[in-house]
Amino acid sequence: MKKLISVALFGLAFLFANSSMASVKEAPKEMSAETKECVKCHQKNNPGIVQQWGRSKHYGANVGCYECHQADKGDVDAYVHDDKKVKKNISIIVSPKDCANCHEKAAHEMTTSRHAKAGHIIDSLDNLLAEVVEGNRGMVTPGFPNGNSAAAVNGCWQCHGSKVVVLEDGALDPATWPNTGIGRINPDGSEGTCSACHSRHQFSTEQARKPDNCGKCHLGPGHPQKEIYEESKHGIAFKAYEDEMNLDSAKWVVGVDYTAAPTCATCHMGATRKQESTHNVGERISWTNRPPISVRPEVMDAKMGLESQNLKWDERRKNMQDVCSACHTEEYVNNFYIQYDSLIELYNEKYAKPGKALYGAAKPLLKPAKFSNKLDWIWFELWHHEGRRARMAASMMAPDYTHWHGTYHLALHFYTKMVPEVEKLIKEGKASKDKAKKKAAKALQAKLDEVLNSENHKWYLNKK
């Protein structure tokens, strides 16, 4: 424990300094007897946990196992742990509601953000892919006697979050726990998990500020923000000057406490000279580039029932421009946004809206099961993979991802996959004896002619 004690004063000194912790309540004057009993056992059986906690600011503030895991007898997931010594009700899961006992402001910001809603993926295309197309119902657990897809449990749910199921004996169903998905639906009714970013049991602010932390979920073909960041000048600078970033500093104001580079946390959450830090990652985003057609963020927030639906996109943009102003001039920032908006308009008008219209017109000619048609896959990858890459890369100034991984693939697959597949469906529909399919084929032909004769696509017909 000597090593743990050596960091205690360091942690305590900085506990209340960070603006993101402005609502932290007064720390206990001494370590509780319950926590001391917990430590005795866990130091023997799970020493890594104890060492991690010993390096935390919680340890320095006398906040330990019991303070975070204590539960009321009536809580859904409460059980008596160690009935010989501690004899107290605890819960395994520490939810945002628990963290709010001390970190009220941060917990509120997080639970009212899109991150906290990430667990609501039922009936989405991504969920259908993992549950049905990629997987099966072979993972049978007590809470899911009819089975679950292991592809969803080990993939989707680990980022989006699972709905944690508590069994009759108080244990947590293995299909839903362990899970640190950002939008986890907890037994106490709260949504989200702080440990998705602040890994237990050290809960390091330094770790949460590093881009790698976001890379657990934000990477790959459909959301490659980490790779995009690493290609950008911002990511290159971070890699070169990481030791100048003051990542372990309690006070962390861009342009004041560090100037070497911005990280994901800097732009989306970090404090500036005018703004406090925030745990609502949507407060500075002026386009939502997740759906097939990019929309303003308040539109999506309204669909999710978030209070931030009242925060309009132009105000969010001003918030982000304030971050940019720490290192860039007003002209530089304004010109960047002209470039970015132009790419979003290009994507929406040339690919997203025509693609969605063609796909919609083709549906009467398709088999009813989603992803049972070639066109389902083509359209999905156009917007979900290529389209997202192009849009997200432009938002973060990553030219290779914008072009070669983005707009190049959009064009390649629109003209060499989507258009030919639509033409094939038209041909088959016209040859069908089904009058409804003949009519649908005629309508699809009209829509294709409209698209290809437009200013954006007439080159394909060799028209000027």
Side-chain angles (χ1 to χ4, degrees):
M1 292 293 288
K2 290 183 178 179
K3 184 176 181 181
L4 305 185
I5 295 171
S6 68
V7 297
L9 295 178
F10 175 82
L12 186 59
F14 287 111
L15 181 64
F16 305 110
N18 196 336
S19 60
S20 69
M21 293 185 173
S23 63
V24 175
K25 297 179 181 179
E26 185 177 353
K29 290 182 170 57
E30 60 182 26
M31 201 73 72
S32 67
E34 291 87 352
T35 286
K36 289 177 181 178
E37 286 294 335
C38 295
V39 170
K40 285 181 182 178
C41 183
H42 284 291
Q43 193 170 19
K44 177 182 178 181
N45 295 321
N46 315 106
I49 291 177
V50 177
Q51 288 296 320
Q52 291 163 8
W53 168 66
R55 293 190 293 269
S56 74
K57 294 177 183 178
H58 281 160
Y59 175 79
N62 294 319
V63 175
C65 317
Y66 186 68
E67 284 65 46
C68 294
H69 289 277
Q70 63 181 300
D72 293 329
K73 185 177 181 180
D75 290 347
V76 176
D77 57 339
Y79 73 101
V80 178
H81 179 59
D82 190 359
D83 56 8
K84 294 181 180 179
K85 294 181 180 180
V86 180
K87 299 180 182 180
K88 297 288 184 179
N89 285 297
I90 71 156
S91 61
I92 295 173
I93 291 178
V94 179
S95 76
K97 188 179 290 187
D98 298 316
C99 298
N101 288 325
C102 295
H103 303 281
E104 185 177 3
K105 177 177 180 290
H108 175 76
E109 290 168 346
M110 191 275 167
T111 55
T112 56
S113 74
R114 291 189 203 177
H115 268 164
K117 296 295 181 181
H120 295 270
I121 58 173
I122 303 300
D123 296 328
S124 72
L125 285 175
D126 294 41
N127 181 256
L128 174 65
L129 277 168
E131 293 281 3
V132 179
V133 182
E134 300 168 25
N136 57 25
R137 290 196 170 273
M139 185 177 178
V140 177
T141 61
F144 298 89
N146 294 324
N148 257 318
S149 168
V153 171
N154 289 277
C156 307
W157 295 6
Q158 298 303 324
C159 278
H160 284 266
S162 62
K163 182 177 181 179
V164 180
V165 174
V166 184
L167 304 177
E168 289 185 5
D169 62 356
L172 304 180
D173 188 85
T176 63
W177 181 261
N179 185 283
T180 53
I182 193 74
R184 189 180 66 206
I185 302 172
N186 303 299
D188 64 8
S190 64
E191 297 174 335
T193 170
C194 304
S195 61
C197 300
H198 297 280
S199 297
R200 56 183 188 270
H201 284 87
Q202 188 168 340
F203 304 102
S204 167
T205 303
E206 178 181 359
Q207 177 187 333
R209 288 168 176 165
K210 289 189 176 184
D212 288 343
N213 196 55
C214 306
K216 177 199 170 190
C217 298
H218 293 280
L219 83 171
H223 29 60
Q225 289 97 331
K226 181 176 182 288
E227 297 100 310
I228 287 168
Y229 171 79
E230 289 171 347
E231 188 210 337
S232 73
K233 295 295 287 185
H234 290 156
I236 293 168
F238 174 79
K239 188 173 182 179
Y241 306 114
E242 182 177 351
D243 58 346
E244 299 176 18
M245 289 293 294
N246 271 334
L247 290 166
D248 61 347
S249 173
K251 179 174 168 290
W252 202 60
V253 178
V254 63
V256 177
D257 301 301
Y258 65 104
T259 58
T263 70
C264 314
T266 298
C267 297
H268 295 285
M269 304 174 70
T272 73
R273 291 164 293 176
K274 296 180 180 178
Q275 298 179 77
E276 288 188 353
S277 61
T278 177
H279 281 72
N280 187 334
V281 293
E283 291 182 356
R284 299 170 187 176
I285 295 174
S286 50
W287 281 108
T288 295
N289 294 321
R290 184 185 62 80
I293 300 174
S294 292
V295 296
R296 295 302 185 182
E298 60 265 31
V299 175
M300 294 300 294
D301 286 0
K303 290 181 178 180
M304 296 179 184
L306 298 175
E307 62 184 42
S308 51
Q309 64 185 278
N310 298 314
L311 182 60
K312 302 305 179 185
W313 72 268
D314 51 348
E315 287 300 315
R316 300 177 197 233
R317 178 162 292 188
K318 288 178 183 177
N319 291 339
M320 185 66 86
Q321 288 174 326
D322 174 48
V323 181
C324 304
S325 70
C327 297
H328 300 291
T329 65
E330 182 178 358
E331 180 183 33
Y332 186 100
V333 174
N334 289 338
N335 285 358
F336 156 73
Y337 272 105
I338 291 173
Q339 294 176 357
Y340 173 41
D341 288 344
S342 296
L343 190 283
I344 299 302
E345 182 181 5
L346 167 65
Y347 165 79
N348 276 352
E349 299 303 323
K350 186 165 185 174
Y351 300 105
K353 292 178 181 179
K356 186 176 182 180
L358 287 170
Y359 182 61
K363 283 189 175 181
L365 300 169
L366 302 176
K367 290 178 288 184
K370 292 179 180 177
F371 293 107
S372 65
N373 305 277
K374 186 176 181 180
L375 190 63
D376 295 330
W377 296 88
I378 293 170
W379 170 236
F380 181 77
E381 290 201 352
L382 268 169
W383 71 263
H384 189 274
H385 287 29
E386 288 93 37
R388 282 187 181 175
R389 289 199 294 263
R391 291 175 282 170
M392 293 172 179
S395 75
M396 295 165 64
M397 305 178 78
D400 190 70
Y401 264 88
T402 301
H403 181 232
W404 290 117
H405 294 284
T407 54
Y408 171 81
H409 279 283
L410 278 168
L412 174 67
H413 294 151
F414 187 87
Y415 295 117
T416 69
K417 290 186 178 181
M418 189 166 200
V419 170
E421 185 62 18
V422 167
E423 291 173 334
K424 177 175 174 285
L425 290 169
I426 292 171
K427 183 178 179 180
E428 292 173 350
K430 287 181 176 179
S432 174
K433 294 180 180 180
D434 187 326
K435 290 183 179 180
K437 287 190 174 181
K438 283 181 177 291
K439 183 179 178 181
K442 185 178 179 180
L444 182 56
Q445 179 71 69
K447 178 56 66 176
L448 180 61
D449 290 342
E450 176 190 332
V451 169
L452 294 181
N453 279 282
S454 68
E455 284 297 315
N456 279 322
H457 300 285
K458 65 182 183 180
W459 74 269
Y460 185 77
L461 301 176
N462 201 30
K463 294 182 178 181
K464 295 183 178 180

